[in-house]
Every structure is written in structure tokens, then in C-alpha cells.
Amino acid sequence: MSGQTVSMKEPVCLIENDSDGKLRVVRSALDILDKIDQHVVVVSVVGLYRTGKSYLMNKLAGERKGFALGATIQSKTKGIWMWCVPHPEKRDHTLVLLDTEGLGDVEKGDEKNDNWIFSLAVLLSSTLVYNSMGTIDNNALEKLHYVTELTEHIKVKSNQRDGEESSEYLRYFPSFVWTVRDFTLTLEVDGRPITANEYLENALKLRTGHSKKDQAYNLPRSCLRNYFSPRWCFVFERPASGDKMRRMEELTDADLEPAFVEQAKEFCDHVFNEAKTKTLKQGLKVTGRLLGNLAETYVSAIRSGQIPCLDNAVLALAQIENSSAIERARAHYQKRMADWVAYPTETQEELSEVHAAMEKKAVAIFINNSFKDDDQKYQLELMKVLQEEYEKICERNYKESQKACESKIECIFAPLEEKIRDGSYMTPGGYKEYCNDLKLATSEYRSEGGRGVKAEEVLKEYLERKASIGQAVLSADESLTEAEQRAEAEQARREASERENRAMEEQLVVQERLRADQQRTYEENVNQLMERMERDSRNAIAEHDRVLQARLKEQNDLLQQGFDDRAHQMQREINALKVAKAQEEEKKPSFMSTALDTIGTAATLFLPGILPKVGGMAVKWLSKWF
């Protein structure tokens, strides 16, 4: 999707600790996210303090300075800082970089806060970068104990049972990148060269045995394997000498070790090309504005002493976003109609064409900014809102047309009015002169532009008011015989009837156009809804595939490593995933048909001009997609 984004010159704090030590979201940062309509790729970096996390984030932002680096043993970053930049590779996407305060800061010594910072980094990102020093060994994995406590700080469902399948977390959790700094080892196993990714997977192999020591060894490894997929690893040599390291913000690539520069480039290229758009369950893509609402929702739960619940957060956000989507669509429609409509429009068709274009865009705005509108409650509200706005515009168009017509009549018929006032027609032969002047003025009025949709109706009403004057002039014209007067009176009645018919035809054209507008409104909403539901269904099925493939890979790895029991236990989870995917594929036609009937039935209440056979429309639209 295309949309508005921002390009920040420097990072700002997104989440901080207040005076009571509780986490809170910074309003100014939310205001920035609120301006971002584009989908976002969110990359968070976590790790122990003073391990060089901020340097990597600055590289991703394409800057040497930004996130504070520091050169002492004190942690520089506090809370979670945010930097939004246009994505260098993904068109119409914004790259959101989140730099977290260092975990295990001895000066702060707040383990609970560290857990929440780590959990928020997981919840908000689409790619999580864990930064460490030296090697990936048991000591390094033990320091990553935060991952073993994730299920204590994050729930998927409000009624979640202990031991909820890891596949539920896989739907929400980001991909994982382990970056190892100051790496000095040779990447090989048993004399065979390996890649950095193989190095990580080798470090995550489980140990056979059931002792407490074995269980403690396996726990962080199992959590990483179960909760994060895919996983990558990058190793970095030391960037420079100790003296230069203290001046990292001042150094260019030329001042650093060539190998480190190349490794940093490979890491950045990987993130730019492999880091995915942030999504929620069922593949719902997140915008900057939605990301800000997510941050508020999660932090609010934490502040109130609750555990953030992912499904509840999605439902709460759906209400906020769907209501906002209606208002955004309405605002766009109002503004664009005000920009494009010049009152009065010459015809109803002219107004309808502008309405159609602006309504189509308004519906697209709603569709692209709403989600989980499963019963189409909000889309129906949108249809009602736009219909009401259009009716207001049509009413104004009628009034402006009437004013314009009355003004033209006043000007064009002024000479005739003057003659009526001074009695010029009350003479022998005056009736023919009156009829001739009336005909000329009427012809001139009808040749004028800018009269709008009530041109004939206003003329009819005006001439009806003049009928008694015409009758008086006719009665006073002594040059006409009684038979001629009867003939002229009959002619006047025929002309009045013709004007009545023209006015009725004019209004019938307007009403037919309005009915056509309502039918088109229904079809436009159905068409865009079908496209959205088709897209959502594809995303949901793709998510099922992604999670299923991750579990199948993990099962295969367990079998290869000799953990047959664990692999067999995982089969139940895999079977459930296959069933869920099949159900998603099977429910699509019936779900879409129900949605169509819901929209059609409800729409007839405020769109009386739409086709009455809603079921027939459902068949038509479903046949288009299946």
C-alpha cells in the first residue's frame, strides 16, 4: 500500500520509565507513528548493555550518529528508542528501528524492567536482533534467560492454558537474528567449514538426558527453537583498536577493519531484504499508526499489572482502527467532494461521477485501514455515513440549482415583468406580444448554462405563478374573437402540461441516477470487500503454512538429533495446524457468502435503490472469485 511516511533526523524515546519507575509510552513518539500510513518493517535490537547494539541500528538507519553509542561502561540507552526512516528496499514501507536499553545494567539492577523491555521488543518487532559478545556458548545462552520467561509475560489468549502450543506464539513472534560481536573463532565443526547460521543451529542443539542440569541446558535452546522462526546468525570481528573504539561515532568505514565493514554491510543487506512487514495474527499487516496503538495497548496492560494478551490486543485495536478508518474515509470524501464539486452541477450525472470516484477512494481508505471487521459492522456504518454525506451534497446541489435558476429568471424575465407592471400588454394584440415575449425569454433561459438539476422545475413554478396574469391579458385582448381566446387558452394549457412533463422527466432522471448511485455503492463495497477478504484469506493461509513449515522443520531436526519422543509429541501440534489450514481454505466461500448477504440485507435499509435479490448478487460475486 502506498501512503504517508516520515523521515526522522534522529531517534526519539518511544517507551520510558516514569517517576514511579513504571513504563509509559511517550506521546510525541506516538504522534510521529500516527502520521505513518505505510506498512512498517520493525527491527528491534536487544542484548546486554555495552555490547554495541546502537552501532548496528545506526548502520541500518544509514547514519554514523543517532542512537547513543557511548564509550564507557555505563549504559547509554534507557527505555526503548525509535527511529523511523523510509525503507531503502521495500517501496511504500517505513523502516522502524527500536533500540532497547541494555539488559543486565548493574547500576539499574531491575530484572523485572528488563523482562518487560525484552517482551515489548518481541511484541513490537517483525525482526528481533539479539546482540552479544564473544561466542554463542552455554554462558551466552544462559544470559538470554529472558526468552525462557516470555510465556510468563505474554499470553496469546485470555483463557490460555499452561503449556500453550508454541505454534500460537510463532504466529505473533518475530524472526530472530543473533549478532555476535568481537568474534575470534574459526567457523568450523570437526574440521569442516560452517556458515554463521549453522554455527547458531549447532549451538541450539539439545542435550539428551533428563537431569535437572540437562533440562536447564535445554530450556533456553528449546525456547529459541520453538518461538522464533526463521533464525539467522551474523558474526563480526572487532571493528577497531581500543582507542578507536572509544570514538566510534567519529569514525568512517575507512577507519574500521575492512572485514568488520563487510560483515556490517552483509548484516544490513540481510535486514533490508529479509526482514518482513510487521503482521498480526492471520497475516494482518501493521501500519505506523497501528504500531503506536499496539505499543499503547501493551504498555497499558503492563502498567495495570496485567500480562499483555495478544488476541485481546488485536480485538481492542480493531475497534480503535475500524472507527478511525470510518472517520478517515469520511474526511477524505468530504474534502475531495468540496474540492471537486462546483455548485450547482449541470446534471445529476456530473455530480454522480465525482461522487463515484471519491466514494471509491473513501471505501479503499476504509478497507486498507480496517481489520477484523468480521461481521461487516463497520463497513455497513461506512456505507451509511457516505450515503448521508452524499444526500447532504445532493440537497445542497438542489438548493444551489434553485438559487441559480431563480437568479437567471429574475434577470431574463425582467423586461417581461416590466411590461406587466406598466400595463403594456393590456391593449388589443397585447396577448400575442405577451406570448411572444414569454416564449423568447423561456428560450433564452433554457439556452443558459449553470442552471443545474432543477432548471425545468423552477421554470415551471415561475410560469405557474404567471398563469393568472396570462389569463388576464388574454381576457383583456379585444382583438381576439371568443373562439380565438378559447384556442389560445387551450394552447396555454398544453404548454403548461408540457412544462409539467419536462419537470417530471427532469426529476425522474435525477431519481434514476440516484438509484443507480446506490446500486453502484453496493457493488463497489462488495467488490472491495471481496478483494480484501481474498487477500486476508491468502495471508491467513500463508501464515498457517509458515507456522506449519517451521514446526515440520523443528520435528525433522529433533528426529535427526535423536529426540524421537519430542518429535512424536510435536505431531499432535502439527496435525492441529494442518486441520486449521484446511478449515481456513474450506470456510472461505461460505464466509464470503455470509458477508455478502449481511451487507446486502443491511444495506437495503439505507440504500433502497439497490437490487432486492441480495442472494443473487452473492452468487454473482462469489462466481467471480471461485
Side-chain angles (χ1 to χ4, degrees):
M1 66 178 282
S2 61
Q4 184 177 354
T5 187
V6 297
S7 184
M8 299 166 57
K9 294 182 179 179
E10 59 186 5
V12 299
C13 187
L14 173 63
I15 299 172
E16 64 181 5
N17 291 100
D18 61 19
S19 57
D20 296 328
K22 290 187 174 182
L23 293 172
R24 70 178 178 192
V25 183
V26 179
R27 182 71 254 174
S28 57
L30 290 179
D31 290 341
I32 293 172
L33 288 173
D34 195 51
K35 297 175 183 176
I36 301 176
D37 291 335
Q38 291 185 343
H39 292 145
V40 291
V41 175
V42 188
V43 180
S44 293
V45 62
V46 296
L48 300 181
Y49 79 107
R50 307 309 313 130
T51 54
K53 303 187 310 301
S54 299
Y55 175 82
L56 290 179
M57 301 305 271
N58 288 342
K59 291 294 289 184
L60 290 173
E63 301 289 345
R64 277 189 295 161
K65 297 181 179 180
F67 291 113
L69 300 183
T72 69
I73 61 171
Q74 291 181 306
S75 174
K76 286 291 183 180
T77 304
K78 300 295 182 183
I80 298 179
W81 283 67
M82 174 186 78
W83 201 348
C84 304
V85 296
H87 198 287
E89 297 294 336
K90 294 183 187 292
R91 188 170 171 236
D92 300 328
H93 280 65
T94 297
L95 178 63
V96 180
L97 304 172
L98 300 180
D99 189 14
T100 65
E101 72 179 73
L103 306 174
D105 187 344
V106 292
E107 290 186 356
K108 185 179 61 181
D110 189 344
E111 188 73 11
K112 185 177 181 181
N113 190 78
D114 282 354
N115 272 309
W116 284 128
I117 290 292
F118 184 87
S119 297
L120 285 169
V122 170
L123 288 169
L124 295 176
S125 63
S126 53
T127 292
L128 181 73
V129 179
Y130 179 68
N131 196 65
S132 70
M133 303 289 287
T135 60
I136 301 178
D137 54 18
N138 196 49
N139 181 52
L141 282 158
E142 286 178 352
K143 288 179 180 178
L144 189 52
H145 63 88
Y146 305 99
V147 76
T148 68
E149 300 166 15
L150 277 173
T151 56
E152 298 175 20
H153 294 84
I154 300 172
K155 291 195 300 182
V156 174
K157 304 172 183 176
S158 57
N159 60 346
Q160 181 170 315
R161 305 181 306 272
D162 291 337
E164 189 78 52
E165 285 95 341
S166 54
S167 59
E168 291 301 312
Y169 288 94
L170 274 173
R171 297 185 192 279
Y172 283 98
F173 282 11
S175 60
F176 185 85
V177 178
W178 193 319
T179 52
V180 187
R181 310 296 291 277
D182 295 357
F183 186 78
T184 57
L185 302 179
T186 301
L187 284 175
E188 64 177 31
V189 172
D190 298 330
R192 177 180 64 84
I194 60 173
T195 66
N197 290 343
E198 291 172 325
Y199 171 61
L200 171 61
E201 294 306 309
N202 189 63
L204 296 183
K205 285 183 178 179
L206 304 179
R207 179 185 290 174
T208 57
H210 303 284
S211 68
K212 287 186 177 180
K213 187 175 181 180
D214 292 330
Q215 292 176 5
Y217 178 91
N218 288 338
L219 182 58
R221 292 166 171 80
S222 294
C223 289
L224 279 174
R225 293 163 65 123
N226 286 330
Y227 298 150
F228 298 98
S229 178
R231 299 180 294 270
W232 292 279
C233 180
F234 289 86
V235 297
F236 300 84
E237 295 185 10
R238 189 171 178 82
S241 65
D243 180 60
K244 286 184 177 181
M245 289 286 289
R246 288 187 283 273
R247 299 182 293 109
M248 284 292 286
E249 287 186 345
E250 303 172 12
L251 304 182
T252 66
D253 286 349
D255 301 313
L256 303 176
E257 292 295 329
F260 175 83
V261 172
E262 180 59 30
Q263 290 162 346
K265 181 180 182 303
E266 290 176 0
F267 166 76
C268 290
D269 288 344
H270 168 85
V271 170
F272 294 152
N273 290 287
E274 297 296 332
K276 305 299 183 184
T277 303
K278 171 66 179 173
T279 60
L280 299 177
K281 192 174 181 180
Q282 294 184 318
L284 297 168
K285 294 185 178 181
V286 173
T287 63
R289 187 182 62 260
L290 185 51
L291 180 67
N293 285 333
L294 270 176
E296 274 197 298
T297 301
Y298 292 141
V299 171
S300 177
I302 294 169
R303 285 180 65 86
S304 65
Q306 300 175 358
I307 297 175
C309 175
L310 302 180
D311 279 359
N312 287 352
V314 170
L315 291 176
L317 287 175
Q319 294 180 354
I320 296 171
E321 287 297 303
N322 291 341
S323 296
S324 173
I326 290 174
E327 291 309 310
R328 290 161 66 82
R330 182 212 295 264
H332 174 87
Y333 178 84
Q334 288 176 328
K335 183 179 185 307
R336 300 305 289 167
M337 289 297 283
D339 291 342
W340 281 89
V341 177
Y343 297 100
T345 60
E346 199 65 45
T347 63
Q348 184 64 35
E349 182 179 10
E350 181 183 328
L351 179 60
S352 296
E353 288 176 353
V354 179
H355 163 68
M358 302 315 163
E359 182 184 49
K360 182 175 183 177
K361 179 60 178 176
V363 173
I365 288 172
F366 171 81
I367 292 290
N368 289 329
N369 288 279
S370 65
F371 67 96
K372 286 197 72 64
D373 185 18
D374 295 336
D375 56 1
Q376 286 70 57
K377 168 187 171 183
Y378 291 95
Q379 187 166 3
L380 288 168
E381 178 63 22
L382 173 74
M383 293 170 69
K384 183 178 179 181
V385 163
L386 294 184
Q387 178 64 19
E388 289 173 349
E389 291 294 332
Y390 186 41
E391 287 173 0
K392 292 177 186 176
I393 289 170
C394 288
E395 184 62 29
R396 179 180 173 185
N397 200 41
Y398 301 152
K399 290 179 179 178
E400 293 293 334
S401 175
Q402 179 147 355
K403 285 166 57 178
C405 292
E406 288 172 348
S407 176
K408 290 180 184 297
I409 285 174
E410 183 179 1
C411 179
I412 293 170
F413 285 81
L416 182 138
E417 295 282 359
E418 180 65 27
K419 285 186 177 183
I420 290 173
R421 282 194 296 271
D422 65 18
S424 298
Y425 297 125
M426 306 301 284
T427 60
Y431 184 71
K432 286 189 176 181
E433 182 182 357
Y434 171 78
C435 289
N436 186 57
D437 288 348
L438 194 65
K439 186 178 294 185
L440 288 173
T442 300
S443 178
E444 181 181 350
Y445 168 81
R446 284 176 171 157
S447 67
E448 283 277 312
R451 294 172 301 146
V453 295
K454 299 193 72 173
E456 290 299 326
E457 183 177 346
V458 174
L459 175 65
K460 175 184 77 76
E461 291 171 353
Y462 170 77
L463 293 180
E464 281 177 349
R465 294 194 297 270
K466 291 290 173 282
S468 60
I469 294 175
Q471 183 62 43
V473 172
L474 176 61
S475 299
D477 192 341
E478 298 176 352
S479 68
L480 297 174
T481 65
E482 187 175 337
E484 288 174 331
Q485 285 193 346
R486 287 197 299 270
E488 291 292 346
E490 181 61 29
Q491 177 63 24
R493 284 192 290 272
R494 286 196 296 270
E495 290 175 354
S497 178
E498 181 187 347
R499 288 193 296 270
E500 179 75 28
N501 289 336
R502 292 182 71 147
M504 287 180 61
E505 183 179 347
E506 178 183 67
Q507 292 310 303
L508 282 173
V509 169
V510 170
Q511 293 305 315
E512 284 299 318
R513 189 68 202 190
L514 289 176
R515 278 193 285 272
D517 287 341
Q518 292 178 352
Q519 184 65 37
R520 194 210 61 256
T521 289
Y522 170 69
E523 293 181 2
E524 183 63 50
N525 273 271
V526 167
N527 195 17
Q528 292 203 39
L529 174 63
M530 289 297 95
E531 291 177 0
R532 169 62 184 267
M533 293 177 74
E534 177 70 15
R535 187 166 66 246
D536 287 350
S537 180
R538 288 198 304 269
N539 289 339
I541 292 171
E543 182 194 76
H544 283 299
D545 274 334
R546 178 180 65 83
V547 175
L548 178 59
Q549 292 306 314
R551 303 321 288 148
L552 286 170
K553 180 180 182 303
E554 178 63 14
Q555 184 187 51
N556 184 61
D557 290 346
L558 288 171
L559 288 171
Q560 289 184 354
Q561 295 168 30
F563 292 91
D564 292 11
D565 289 345
R566 289 195 181 204
H568 291 315
Q569 289 172 7
M570 188 174 287
Q571 188 61 46
R572 180 179 65 85
E573 189 178 349
I574 290 172
N575 291 340
L577 287 169
K578 290 179 178 178
V579 170
K581 178 187 175 184
Q583 289 174 340
E584 180 70 37
E585 292 172 332
E586 290 172 2
K587 78 176 185 180
K588 185 165 60 172
S590 61
F591 182 65
M592 288 185 173
S593 178
T594 300
L596 284 173
D597 285 342
T598 299
I599 276 200
T601 302
T604 55
L605 298 176
F606 49 89
L607 297 177
I610 72 169
L611 291 177
K613 296 182 179 178
V614 176
M617 290 299 295
V619 172
K620 171 187 173 183
W621 288 105
L622 286 171
S623 65
K624 177 180 178 180
W625 295 103
F626 301 100

